Amino acid sequence: AVAGVERWSGMNETMNLLIGLAMGLNLLALGSSRLPTVIRAMSLQGVALGVMPLLLEEHFDWRVSLVAVATMAGKGIVIPTLLRRAMRAAQIDREMTPFIGFVPSLLLGASATIVSVALSEALPLRPEHAGSLLAAGAFATVFTGLLLLTGRAKAIAQVCGYLILENGIALLAVLATFG
């Protein structure tokens, strides 16, 4: 158990960097009216989180590597390509009239991120997750996905919201299973 805690602490910095990147991309997605930017933020977030299983495995396992590579290819190449194609077919480039404006969305997202960090500090987490942004990143990403899903009018932005929500759920799964 001690070796697992020591190993996890070494991974904490890289994991926190990836999760911090994902949290920053949440705010980029919330604050942008340009759909290509939202698609790019969702794509980069999916790739960053797709790397995590490779970092968490103690020994090389080809199955974990296969799933990680498939996840990164799907979220980084296939889904964004399909969304861009749909965007071109529908001849839309911007979200002009969202249900919740961009500034309120950004303020809600930033507030949710702050609350998530504060809330995660109060949670009774496993010792190997102490000092990790996993819980905060998961909560903030789930909230961002829900906000995009319900606050945007264009279906493409809503699909990106769903995929960001799924990224948050994946972070919760990592929190629950590794350690």
Side-chain angles (χ1 to χ4, degrees):
V2 173
V5 172
E6 288 173 8
R7 187 178 170 285
W8 180 260
S9 350
M11 292 293 168
N12 241 356
E13 289 181 25
T14 307
M15 293 290 288
N16 282 343
L17 179 66
L18 290 173
I19 295 166
L21 174 66
M23 292 166 79
L25 290 168
N26 285 343
L27 298 176
L28 177 65
L30 287 172
S32 180
S33 67
R34 295 184 40 79
L35 292 175
T37 302
V38 176
I39 292 170
R40 200 171 300 116
M42 175 271 308
S43 170
L44 287 172
Q45 186 182 66
V47 170
L49 299 180
V51 171
M52 283 186 189
L54 296 174
L55 296 174
L56 294 171
E57 278 302 305
E58 208 167 305
H59 303 288
F60 178 79
D61 185 352
W62 67 270
R63 294 169 293 199
V64 172
S65 298
L66 181 66
V67 169
V69 168
T71 299
M72 290 185 284
K75 290 184 175 188
I77 298 169
V78 176
I79 293 173
T81 301
L82 294 174
L83 288 174
R84 284 188 197 97
R85 185 178 299 162
M87 193 180 70
R88 282 192 299 274
Q91 297 179 348
I92 55 173
D93 185 46
R94 291 184 178 269
E95 176 87 37
M96 298 306 283
T97 54
F99 300 129
I100 301 172
F102 299 109
V103 173
S105 291
L106 195 53
L107 290 173
L108 284 169
S111 299
T113 300
I114 292 167
V115 168
S116 296
V117 170
L119 177 68
S120 69
E121 293 294 321
L123 289 175
L125 298 174
R126 294 178 178 172
E128 53 270 14
H129 296 303
S132 168
L133 289 175
L134 266 172
F139 296 142
T141 304
V142 165
F143 181 82
T144 298
L146 287 172
L147 191 56
L148 282 170
L149 194 56
T150 58
R152 298 293 191 254
K154 301 289 183 198
I156 292 172
Q158 291 173 343
V159 168
C160 288
Y162 175 78
L163 292 167
I164 289 173
L165 171 67
E166 188 271 332
N167 288 340
I169 293 169
L171 278 173
L172 282 172
V174 169
L175 180 66
T177 56
F178 285 97

